[in-house]
Amino acid sequence: MVEAFIVSGAIGTDTPTALRVKDKLNMNKQLIGKVGELIASKYLTEKGYTIVCKNWTCQWGEIDLIAEKENILTFVEVKYRTNLANGHPSQAITYYKKKSLQRSINMFLAKNYITKPWRVDVLCVNKLGKSLRVDYYEYVSLH
């Protein structure tokens, strides 16, 4: 269930009401993100990937999914949208997100002494009414 909030009048950003609204909106974003990652995990598993890690974090950011298939490690950025009002999910991957992802990947590889081949993929999930559309982009450049 999605809650709608109506805020009337002038409310500062640090009032208890505004903070509760922000907390609820952030919680909804996190929940939507988790749903997208579950859909992505299922999609990748059905395509023969093994999920190695979910939501790996370091000082530079987070890697949504790390999967492996045919001895190639795949770092997967997942974008999920419940509508296209803000554009296609892939448009949310900014220069800064790419930079953060590259640094996070480098950290993961170094911390785990990984020398095998790897790549970056992007998996976009669009909720279109009651159906889902998955767009999967392989070998995405971070430059």
Side-chain angles (χ1 to χ4, degrees):
M1 175 164 65
V2 177
E3 295 182 52
F5 299 96
I6 300 172
V7 180
S8 60
I11 297 176
T13 57
D14 58 348
T15 64
T17 302
L19 292 175
R20 281 195 303 273
V21 169
K22 283 183 190 177
D23 288 344
K24 293 275 187 182
L25 292 175
N26 286 336
M27 189 173 66
N28 286 340
K29 283 183 180 181
Q30 289 174 348
L31 181 60
I32 288 169
K34 295 297 175 201
V35 169
E37 289 168 9
L38 285 171
I39 293 166
S41 293
K42 184 173 175 15
Y43 177 88
L44 291 170
T45 302
E46 288 176 357
K47 296 292 183 189
Y49 288 85
T50 300
I51 304 300
V52 174
C53 186
K54 294 180 180 182
N55 305 112
W56 188 85
T57 58
C58 69
Q59 68 200 46
W60 301 112
E62 179 183 74
I63 302 170
D64 293 331
L65 295 173
I66 303 170
E68 187 172 9
K69 182 178 177 182
E70 298 171 359
N71 205 35
I72 297 174
L73 204 58
T74 305
F75 298 94
V76 183
E77 177 66 18
V78 178
K79 292 296 179 188
Y80 178 62
R81 295 290 180 265
T82 55
N83 63 58
L84 296 176
N86 294 321
H88 190 271
S90 63
Q91 293 174 310
I93 302 172
T94 64
Y95 165 80
Y96 298 103
K97 178 60 185 175
K98 288 180 181 180
K99 191 170 186 170
S100 168
L101 189 55
Q102 181 66 62
R103 287 177 172 170
S104 298
I105 290 168
N106 290 341
M107 181 70 76
F108 179 86
L109 295 171
K111 279 191 165 195
N112 294 286
Y113 306 101
I114 294 174
T115 58
K116 67 173 73 176
W118 60 273
R119 69 175 200 240
V120 177
D121 293 355
V122 173
L123 192 146
C124 300
V125 181
N126 289 310
K127 186 172 185 287
L128 306 169
K130 293 186 178 187
S131 64
L132 296 171
R133 176 188 167 134
V134 174
D135 295 316
Y136 189 56
Y137 305 96
E138 297 177 328
Y139 298 95
V140 173
S141 172
L142 296 178
H143 301 287

